Amino acid sequence: MSDTIERIKCLIIGSGPAGYTAAIYAARANMKPVLYQGMQPGGQLTTTNEVENWPGNPEGITGPEMMIGLQAQAERFGTDVRDGWATKVDFSGGVHRVWINDQIELHCESVIISTGASAKYLGLSSEQHYLQMGGGVSACAVCDGFFYRNQEVVIVGAGDSACEEAHYLSKLCKKVTMLVRSEKFRASKIMEERVRKTENITILMNHDTVEVLGDGQVVTGVRALNKTTAETFDIEATGFFVAIGHKPNTDIFKDFLNLDETGYIIGIPGTSKTNVEGVFVAGDAADHVYRQAITAAGTGCMAALDAERYLAAKE
Ligand SMILES: Cc1cc2nc3c(=O)[nH]c(=O)nc-3n(C[C@H](O)[C@H](O)[C@H](O)COP(=O)(O)OP(=O)(O)OC[C@H]3O[C@@H](n4cnc5c(N)ncnc54)[C@H](O)[C@@H]3O)c2cc1C
């Protein structure tokens, strides 16, 4: 049970681009935002080196550097940035209750959820090694495809996103090999057709990834298993893209908010509003389509403006 109860005008849960952008706007609107960083301070971008598509940085910026800047900007206007993560919520009453680390109980007039999503990986140790090295494993073709221009890459996945990403890569890369674990795509027929018709995409059905190959620093290929013949073979590649889905960090909200079948929060279209008054959502927690820093930041801005108008209307 709670040791303390604190009253908060605007609580922001999560410290990615969505959360910090919401905080900048909320702080400048005098909403006295309190932001809890969660287990990954700075969010997903802290796991990447080069961010080249964040406007205003013509030479690019590292993910950690970018997030330090966003935090500093939010704090400059008075955001109270804290360690800790939300472990439970109760959105059933007029005041929204949120528990931090199962200990601190917060009574909030408004809540902005910006808890993001986590990319799923295969879990192979070689995959994790090159992911952590920044050496050629990625879960985001739009973010990292550009680094593999005119090169050969492998992508694993079978859904609509995998097809979308394979097609995106095919426009940049010399050759894209797509490994599909089963004998069938999960993607819609139209998406499947699109990759099948693309000349520089080779589709290998019923193939598993056995290992990501490399020289210790960077990826040089992928070892695949043909499950029909039980043969393994190596594919040359400098990039390995994983497109097997994302998991939104929304479990604690499921009893109160409308979620889709994957767990993404369903907002009211064109706004950041959820089905609960005074609870708003921004960033990847509600976005399975764009999943970019700039769109997360844009919706963070929307959430702060929607929260500000909600609070003003209550006064
Ligand atoms: C390797 C990689 C490279 C990428 N490169 C690019 C790129 O170059 N350009 C680009 O635009 N996008 C890139 N992206 C995508 C981009 O990182 C995301 O779209 C963006 O970070 C989403 O922002 P967000 O604020 O919604 O959530 P996130 O960045 O996912 O942050 C979520 C935050 O919520 C916190 N949190 C979660 N649960 C709780 C809880 N219960 N309580 C408190 N806090 C919680 C976490 O600690 C974290 O701080 C990349 C992603 C990855 C994984």
Side-chain angles (χ1 to χ4, degrees), residues 13-19 36-45 47-48 50-54 84-87 114-119 121 131 138-140 143-144 249 252-253 282-285 290-296:
I13 310 176
S15 57
Y36 276 92
Q37 292 185 304
M39 42 305 222
Q40 191 178 42
Q44 294 175 59
L45 282 181
T47 65
T48 189
E50 240 2 65
V51 180
E52 290 192 331
N53 52 12
W54 179 252
W85 57 92
T87 44
S114 50
T115 48
S118 312
Y121 290 93
L131 176 68
S138 171
C140 180
C143 312
D144 296 328
N249 305 315
I252 58 169
F253 309 112
D284 285 13
Y290 301 105
R291 295 193 299 246
Q292 293 296 292
I294 188 72
T295 46

Side-chain angles (χ1 to χ4, degrees), residues 136-211:
V137 171
S138 171
C140 180
V142 175
C143 312
D144 296 328
F146 191 72
F147 299 118
Y148 302 92
R149 281 183 323 281
N150 302 321
Q151 299 174 40
E152 299 191 8
V153 299
V154 171
I155 182 166
V156 57
D160 276 339
S161 295
C163 291
E164 185 92 53
E165 302 219 346
H167 192 252
Y168 182 90
L169 290 169
S170 73
K171 292 195 224 140
L172 295 165
C173 304
K174 197 155 71 181
K175 183 178 174 197
V176 178
T177 304
M178 191 169 189
L179 299 180
V180 178
R181 282 182 75 175
S182 72
E183 276 162 354
K184 270 194 188 154
F185 271 93
R186 279 188 299 103
S188 57
K189 266 276 160 269
I190 190 159
M191 294 302 294
E192 179 180 341
E193 277 310 302
R194 191 192 284 177
V195 290
R196 285 197 184 280
K197 280 187 187 151
T198 306
E199 237 171 57
N200 63 338
I201 300 180
T202 303
I203 302 166
L204 300 178
M205 304 300 292
N206 213 22
H207 280 66
D208 266 345
T209 308
V210 178
E211 203 180 334

Side-chain angles (χ1 to χ4, degrees), residues 15-278:
S15 57
Y20 280 135
T21 305
I24 292 165
Y25 277 77
R28 293 185 77 249
N30 208 18
M31 290 157 70
K32 301 186 173 30
V34 171
L35 180 151
Y36 276 92
Q37 292 185 304
M39 42 305 222
Q40 191 178 42
Q44 294 175 59
L45 282 181
T46 56
T47 65
T48 189
N49 289 327
E50 240 2 65
V51 180
E52 290 192 331
N53 52 12
W54 179 252
N57 290 97
E59 303 305 324
I61 184 167
T62 70
E65 216 183 328
M66 180 179 144
M67 296 317 299
I68 287 168
L70 277 172
Q71 178 174 347
Q73 196 171 349
E75 286 178 325
R76 177 181 157 215
F77 299 113
T79 305
D80 184 350
V81 177
R82 300 179 183 174
D83 286 338
W85 57 92
T87 44
K88 192 174 114 180
V89 300
D90 181 350
F91 294 155
S92 61
V95 167
H96 303 310
R97 300 198 294 165
V98 177
W99 284 262
I100 301 296
N101 299 348
D102 286 324
Q103 282 188 334
I104 303 164
E105 183 175 342
L106 308 175
H107 286 190
C108 312
E109 287 180 58
S110 65
V111 178
I112 295 175
I113 297 169
S114 50
T115 48
S118 312
K120 290 183 193 164
Y121 290 93
L122 298 176
L124 301 168
S125 59
S126 53
E127 169 205 58
Q128 291 304 307
H129 172 78
Y130 291 107
L131 176 68
Q132 273 147 33
M133 298 283 297
V137 171
S138 171
C140 180
V142 175
C143 312
D144 296 328
F146 191 72
F147 299 118
Y148 302 92
R149 281 183 323 281
N150 302 321
Q151 299 174 40
E152 299 191 8
V153 299
V154 171
I155 182 166
V156 57
D160 276 339
S161 295
C163 291
E164 185 92 53
E165 302 219 346
H167 192 252
Y168 182 90
L169 290 169
S170 73
K171 292 195 224 140
L172 295 165
C173 304
K174 197 155 71 181
K175 183 178 174 197
V176 178
T177 304
M178 191 169 189
L179 299 180
V180 178
R181 282 182 75 175
S182 72
E183 276 162 354
K184 270 194 188 154
F185 271 93
R186 279 188 299 103
S188 57
K189 266 276 160 269
I190 190 159
M191 294 302 294
E192 179 180 341
E193 277 310 302
R194 191 192 284 177
V195 290
R196 285 197 184 280
K197 280 187 187 151
T198 306
E199 237 171 57
N200 63 338
I201 300 180
T202 303
I203 302 166
L204 300 178
M205 304 300 292
N206 213 22
H207 280 66
D208 266 345
T209 308
V210 178
E211 203 180 334
V212 179
L213 307 170
D215 62 5
Q217 302 290 319
V218 293
V219 170
T220 56
V222 173
R223 183 156 299 151
L225 166 70
N226 179 336
K227 295 201 281 183
T228 315
T229 62
E231 276 169 352
T232 55
F233 59 98
D234 296 347
I235 306 166
E236 267 185 38
T238 48
F240 179 64
F241 287 84
V242 189
I244 57 173
H246 285 73
K247 181 173 180 345
N249 305 315
T250 56
D251 286 353
I252 58 169
F253 309 112
K254 68 176 187 304
D255 292 338
F256 302 95
L257 299 185
N258 294 337
L259 308 181
D260 72 11
E261 68 284 354
T262 329
Y264 286 95
I265 296 172
I266 302 172
I268 298 174
T271 76
S272 67
K273 295 174 188 171
T274 67
N275 57 297
V276 175
E277 270 206 8

